[in-house]
């Protein structure tokens, strides 16, 4: 399908989805199954895609020094953009002060976060490996799959001809999965429509949504304006400065991924389409796309990091607790880590919030206040997460070509 055709259809899907969910409310639950089928079809591809992508990506990068340098470039991009995102969140929430004069009406800790009291840095580190790879596949725990595939792919490159045969096998697996993604994209506009319409319908339609929004409207406005600043100003500027690529064209080329991110609220489920857009539309080299995007979907979450910092300070403001510079710095650090630790699934950020709140002694009950609107803000931050990954693929690809391939000569 032509990029433009798909682009218009996806946008039409979103607009129609919002319109129908808004107007017809719970009646739109009738199309929920279509959305679920689309989501499941995407998820079905994620495990084989991640494993084959990481193996092919790492093998494509060649010897271990190149892998190291490319990895460092990716890491530097991830860390820089995540820190800028948290910084923007902190500045905006301190200027707008959305929590002042808002009464905290929720007294209970939401079920999602109960039992998560012990989330800390070591818990995040522990998620990098798994005692059982098959169980990780079943539970869609992506991080151990990435770590295993990276090491596995790296080792394959040292085994000579037999290793190459296995790499070729995964290369073919990857190409086949991407073909399926290509086919699935024909259903994406319908899937996006159904996901949005049924979710808005489940939330009670436009009137109920507006009522929920009114309660925490200033908070939602703070998150959204900070996300817009990061997504529409900071990230495109980084893209332009490093690669001289036109951010508007780049944006247009990833619209399918962004609309899918908005409707699924999951970076992992969107990954197949993010890779497709990067390779096919934005001409990011295959090895960079396959290396950077699975990693990015799991650890690089600018939108989530930004949201965590805004939400934590919002809760403090609501409770009338003044957080000084030191405490805000702690939030800065823990929000960054919490975003790294959040899985690319819906509302994962809400769960890793526990770590941020605990670091400065804020009560977990505060999360209850964010719940009603989180399904919506989750979609907004997931879109920024995927946008950040997509730009990361372009930036790393360019710098890798410039610095690693040509040995640093420009
Ligand atoms: N839903 C987000 C994602 O998949 C994670 C989060 O909850 O912030 O990127």
């Amino acid at each position: 399908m032509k990029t433009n055709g798909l682009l218009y259809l996806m946008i039409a899907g979103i607009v129609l989805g919002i319109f129908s969910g808004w107007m017809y409310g719970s009646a739109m639950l009738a199309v929920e199954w279509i959305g679920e089928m689309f989501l499941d079809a995407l998820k079905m591809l994620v495990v084989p895609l991640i494993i084959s992508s990481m193996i092919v990506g790492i093998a494509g990068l060649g010897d271990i020094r190149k892998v190291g340098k490319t990895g460092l470039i990716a890491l530097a991009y991830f860390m820089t953009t995540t820190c800028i995102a948290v910084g923007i969140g902190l500045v905006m929430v301190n200027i707008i002060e959305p929590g002042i004069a808002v009464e905290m009406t929720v007294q209970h800790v939401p079920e999602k976060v109960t039992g998560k009291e012990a989330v800390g840095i070591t818990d995040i580190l522990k998620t990098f490996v798994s005692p059982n790879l098959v169980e990780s596949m079943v539970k869609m725990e992506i991080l151990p799959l990435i770590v295993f595939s990276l090491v596995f792919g790296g080792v394959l490159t040292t085994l000579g001809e037999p290793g190459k045969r296995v790499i070729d096998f995964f290369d073919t697996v990857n190409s086949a999965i991407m073909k399926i993604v290509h086919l699935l994209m024909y259903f994406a506009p319908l899937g996006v429509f159904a996901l949005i319409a049924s979710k808005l319908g489940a939330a009670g339609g436009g009137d109920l949504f507006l009522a929920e929004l009114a309660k925490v409207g200033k908070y939602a406005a703070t998150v959204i304006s900070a996300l817009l600043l990061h997504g529409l100003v900071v990230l495109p500027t980084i893209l332009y400065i490093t690669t001289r690529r036109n951010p508007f064209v780049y944006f247009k080329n990833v619209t399918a991924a962004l609309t899918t991110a908005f409707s699924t609220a999951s970076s992992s489920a969107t990954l197949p389409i993010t890779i497709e857009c990067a390779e096919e539309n934005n001409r990011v080299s295959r090895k960079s796309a396959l290396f950077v995007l699975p990693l990015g979907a799991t650890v690089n979450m600018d939108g989530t990091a930004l949201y965590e910092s805004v939400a934590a300070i919002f809760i403090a403001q609501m409770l009338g607790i003044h957080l000084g510079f030191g405490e805000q710095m702690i939030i800065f650090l823990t929000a960054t880590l919490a975003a790294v630790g959040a899985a690319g699934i819906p509302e994962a950020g809400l769960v890793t919030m526990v770590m941020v709140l605990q670091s400065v002694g804020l009560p977990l009950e505060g999360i209850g206040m964010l719940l009603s609107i989180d399904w919506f803000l989750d979609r907004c931050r997931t879109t920024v997460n995927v946008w950040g990954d997509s730009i990361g693929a372009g930036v790393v690809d360019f710098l890798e070509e410039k610095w690693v391939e040509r040995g640093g000569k420009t």
Side-chain angles (χ1 to χ4, degrees), residues 265-268 301 304 342-350 378 381-382 385:
S266 166
S267 307
S268 299
M301 297 193 179
T304 302
I345 55 173
E347 303 203 329
L350 205 63
D378 189 14
R381 63 181 186 256
T382 307
N385 290 346

Side-chain angles (χ1 to χ4, degrees), residues 311-325:
I313 307 265
F314 169 70
I315 290 172
Q317 289 172 348
M318 246 181 342
L319 296 168
I321 300 173
H322 175 74
L323 296 177
F325 183 76

Side-chain angles (χ1 to χ4, degrees), residues 246-270:
N246 182 336
F248 293 102
V249 177
Y250 202 90
F251 183 87
K252 185 175 150 229
N253 287 341
V254 292
T255 307
L258 300 183
T259 43
T260 307
F262 186 78
S263 26
T264 59
S266 166
S267 307
S268 299
T270 310

